[in-house]
Amino acid sequence: MEGLRASSISSGVQGNATSHHSGRVILDGYKINHVPVSGFPGLKKRGHAHGSRSWIKIDEGGNSKVLELDKATVMRHCSLPARDLRLLDPLFIYPSTILGREKAIVVSLEQIRCIITADEVILMNSLDANVVQYKAELCKRLQTNKEQSDDLPFEFRALELALELTCMSLDAQVKELEMEMHPVLDELASSISTLNLERVRRFKGQLLALTQRVQKVCDEIEHLMDDDGDMAEMYLTEKKQRQEAYLISELYSETNVSGGPRLVSKSAPVSPVGSTSRVQKLQRAFSCLSSSKHGSLTGSSNGGENIDQLEMLLEAYFVGIDNTLNKLLSLKEYIDDTEDLIHIKLGNVQNQLIQFELLLTAATFVTTIFAVVTGIFGMNFEAMVFDYPDAFNWVIIISGVFCAMLYISFLIYFRHKKVFPL
């Protein structure tokens, strides 16, 4: 029994291994022959090159080059968690976001998705016009201002350009939508038709989507302006200088503790233990410094650091994006006013139809009375009135005058009740 059980277990393991191996062969076949398999094709493509994507690296001198980096390399280089890189993934749709981290600023504004550090920008490579313009304009500005002194650090210049291009792009889209909608709304106000209503419905959907995008950018900038800690976290150049100063001071203190500089002969043996311990101490100090986000070095910016520079920068673009948002709100109010006007016109037409229906109802009632009188005298029965030749004519005349007076009385009643003006 034990032998049979062992053989069954071994055969099951071999079966699983075979199934795993066959699955691996299918994946390899998908890579080589591009055979469609079940599942999500997007996930297959992501695993094809181990998550590698095309990035554009721009340094402080304005030099750019295209790199193929995977997600793990970017995470290690910029000290970012995986959830921050998901904001930059073009396969996912996330709203506009600006995140300040310890060594980088994660920017996801419309099509501009990049990671800004103290000395370089890692931009998601794309053929979008905004991405191409951002790369060209940033390189141009960095090369132009290379010899000039600029108050803004490198990370703020890169962030400013991203905000500028995003605000300009959204404002241009709003102006284009406004120019297209005004003639259609004016035409709809003068002539209500199914074609004009369909065009306004389509424009209203575009207006709603654009308003949500502009609102998200506006809220993100306002959120940064309201949080001093997030703004202080974005001073990457200053934090880098503090780290370097701390390392230099640590090295200087280690030198003083060891007795100052000493002359060592070339033939004297060098102990690897002392140098190794010193390097380990420096690495340990650097890791402690970089890992403490709210420590005495990086966290002191919340209290004494001057964040007015970044706040003024954000405030300038907040005013611009808020103005764009006001244009969209004004356009929405114009659409609402046009809809109210259409409803008023349709209500007026409906009232006219009701008035006409009342007139027809009153006329039908009067005519019915006249028809009843004529119908009664059209019956075959004996009456004194038939002995006179002109008697029936007088009955017709009297009935007609009575019906006319009754109809006029209805009109006077309607006018008195202000059902409709005559």
Side-chain angles (χ1 to χ4, degrees), residues 15-281:
N16 292 334
T18 305
S19 62
H20 288 301
H21 180 69
S22 61
R24 185 164 58 250
V25 170
I26 292 175
L27 289 178
D28 293 339
Y30 170 74
K31 292 179 182 178
I32 298 174
N33 301 325
H34 301 284
V35 179
V37 296
S38 61
F40 298 97
L43 297 180
K44 302 293 183 182
K45 294 178 181 178
R46 288 167 61 86
H48 171 67
H50 304 287
S52 297
R53 295 192 178 279
S54 178
W55 300 82
I56 301 176
K57 179 181 177 181
I58 305 174
D59 57 12
E60 293 179 323
N63 303 316
S64 64
K65 59 180 178 180
V66 179
L67 302 176
E68 290 290 335
L69 302 175
D70 58 353
K71 183 180 293 185
T73 303
V74 177
M75 290 168 56
R76 288 194 303 266
H77 180 70
C78 301
S79 299
L80 293 176
R83 62 177 179 272
D84 289 345
L85 289 185
R86 282 198 297 268
L87 299 174
L88 308 179
D89 198 332
L91 296 179
F92 298 99
I93 300 176
Y94 287 100
S96 298
T97 308
I98 302 175
L99 298 177
R101 296 300 185 227
E102 185 178 354
K103 293 183 180 180
I105 300 174
V106 181
V107 178
S108 177
L109 295 174
E110 295 295 317
Q111 300 300 325
I112 300 177
R113 303 181 180 187
C114 61
I115 302 173
I116 303 174
T117 63
D119 50 7
E120 64 183 6
V121 174
I122 302 177
L123 177 65
M124 178 72 71
N125 194 3
S126 174
L127 298 178
D128 187 79
N130 291 329
V131 177
V132 176
Q133 185 179 4
Y134 178 82
K135 173 194 172 236
E137 186 67 22
L138 182 60
C139 294
K140 179 181 177 181
R141 292 187 181 184
L142 292 176
Q143 292 173 359
T144 303
N145 299 330
K146 188 183 298 183
E147 303 297 333
Q148 301 176 1
S149 60
D150 196 347
D151 296 335
L152 289 176
F154 172 78
E155 63 270 16
F156 291 167
R157 281 183 285 172
L159 178 61
E160 180 185 15
L161 182 58
L163 290 172
E164 179 182 349
L165 293 181
T166 301
C167 294
M168 289 175 57
S169 175
L170 292 175
D171 189 66
Q173 295 179 35
V174 170
K175 289 181 179 179
E176 182 180 359
L177 184 62
E178 189 176 6
M179 292 178 61
E180 292 179 354
M181 287 191 65
H182 275 292
V184 176
L185 292 175
D186 295 339
E187 185 179 356
L188 180 63
S190 59
S191 174
I192 302 175
S193 63
T194 306
L195 179 61
N196 291 335
L197 289 174
E198 180 62 26
R199 293 170 64 186
V200 171
R201 185 193 65 82
R202 187 174 64 254
F203 283 134
K204 193 172 182 180
Q206 296 178 6
L207 176 65
L208 180 61
L210 188 57
T211 303
Q212 292 177 352
R213 290 161 53 194
V214 174
Q215 183 70 54
K216 182 56 184 175
V217 176
C218 185
D219 293 342
E220 189 66 26
I221 297 177
E222 186 178 9
H223 173 71
L224 287 176
M225 294 172 59
D226 293 338
D227 197 335
D228 295 343
D230 289 345
M231 287 193 291
E233 200 71 27
M234 294 184 179
Y235 281 78
L236 303 179
T237 301
E238 186 170 348
K239 289 194 293 184
K240 181 181 178 181
Q241 292 174 356
R242 288 179 179 179
Q243 291 177 357
E244 293 177 352
Y246 177 79
L247 292 178
I248 293 175
S249 63
E250 185 72 18
L251 181 61
Y252 181 74
S253 63
E254 289 287 336
T255 306
N256 290 336
V257 169
S258 62
R262 292 178 297 179
L263 296 177
V264 181
S265 62
K266 296 182 179 179
S267 60
V270 179
S271 176
V273 178
S275 60
T276 305
S277 62
R278 182 174 299 176
V279 171
Q280 291 177 353
K281 288 181 179 180

